[in-house]
Short mmCIF file of all heavy atoms in Angstrom, two decimals:
data_model
loop_
_atom_site.label_atom_id
_atom_site.label_comp_id
_atom_site.label_asym_id
_atom_site.label_seq_id
_atom_site.Cartn_x
_atom_site.Cartn_y
_atom_site.Cartn_z
N GLY Z 487 111.17 99.43 110.42
CA GLY Z 487 109.79 99.00 110.50
C GLY Z 487 109.47 97.73 109.75
O GLY Z 487 108.31 97.31 109.70
N ALA Z 488 110.49 97.10 109.16
CA ALA Z 488 110.21 95.92 108.32
C ALA Z 488 109.56 94.80 109.11
O ALA Z 488 108.64 94.14 108.62
CB ALA Z 488 111.50 95.44 107.67
N ALA Z 489 110.01 94.56 110.34
CA ALA Z 489 109.46 93.45 111.12
C ALA Z 489 107.99 93.67 111.42
O ALA Z 489 107.19 92.73 111.39
CB ALA Z 489 110.26 93.29 112.42
N SER Z 490 107.60 94.92 111.71
CA SER Z 490 106.18 95.18 111.99
C SER Z 490 105.35 94.99 110.74
O SER Z 490 104.23 94.47 110.79
CB SER Z 490 106.00 96.59 112.56
OG SER Z 490 106.26 97.58 111.57
N ALA Z 491 105.88 95.40 109.58
CA ALA Z 491 105.14 95.26 108.33
C ALA Z 491 104.94 93.79 107.97
O ALA Z 491 103.83 93.37 107.61
CB ALA Z 491 105.86 95.99 107.21
N THR Z 492 106.01 93.02 108.05
CA THR Z 492 105.87 91.60 107.71
C THR Z 492 105.04 90.86 108.77
O THR Z 492 104.38 89.87 108.46
CB THR Z 492 107.24 90.93 107.57
OG1 THR Z 492 108.01 91.14 108.77
CG2 THR Z 492 108.01 91.51 106.39
N GLY Z 493 105.04 91.38 110.00
CA GLY Z 493 104.18 90.78 111.03
C GLY Z 493 102.71 90.95 110.70
O GLY Z 493 101.92 90.01 110.85
N VAL Z 494 102.34 92.15 110.27
CA VAL Z 494 100.95 92.40 109.88
C VAL Z 494 100.57 91.52 108.69
O VAL Z 494 99.49 90.93 108.65
CB VAL Z 494 100.75 93.89 109.54
CG1 VAL Z 494 99.41 94.12 108.85
CG2 VAL Z 494 100.85 94.74 110.80
N LEU Z 495 101.47 91.43 107.72
CA LEU Z 495 101.19 90.59 106.56
C LEU Z 495 101.13 89.12 106.93
O LEU Z 495 100.27 88.38 106.44
CB LEU Z 495 102.25 90.82 105.49
CG LEU Z 495 102.18 92.18 104.78
CD1 LEU Z 495 103.46 92.45 103.99
CD2 LEU Z 495 100.98 92.23 103.86
N GLY Z 496 102.05 88.70 107.79
CA GLY Z 496 102.04 87.30 108.21
C GLY Z 496 100.75 86.92 108.91
O GLY Z 496 100.25 85.79 108.76
N ALA Z 497 100.19 87.85 109.68
CA ALA Z 497 98.94 87.57 110.39
C ALA Z 497 97.79 87.34 109.42
O ALA Z 497 96.81 86.66 109.76
CB ALA Z 497 98.61 88.73 111.33
N SER Z 498 97.90 87.88 108.21
CA SER Z 498 96.86 87.67 107.20
C SER Z 498 97.12 86.43 106.35
O SER Z 498 96.32 86.11 105.46
CB SER Z 498 96.76 88.89 106.28
OG SER Z 498 97.90 88.98 105.44
#
Side-chain angles (χ1 to χ4, degrees):
S490 69
T492 55
V494 168
L495 289 167
S498 71

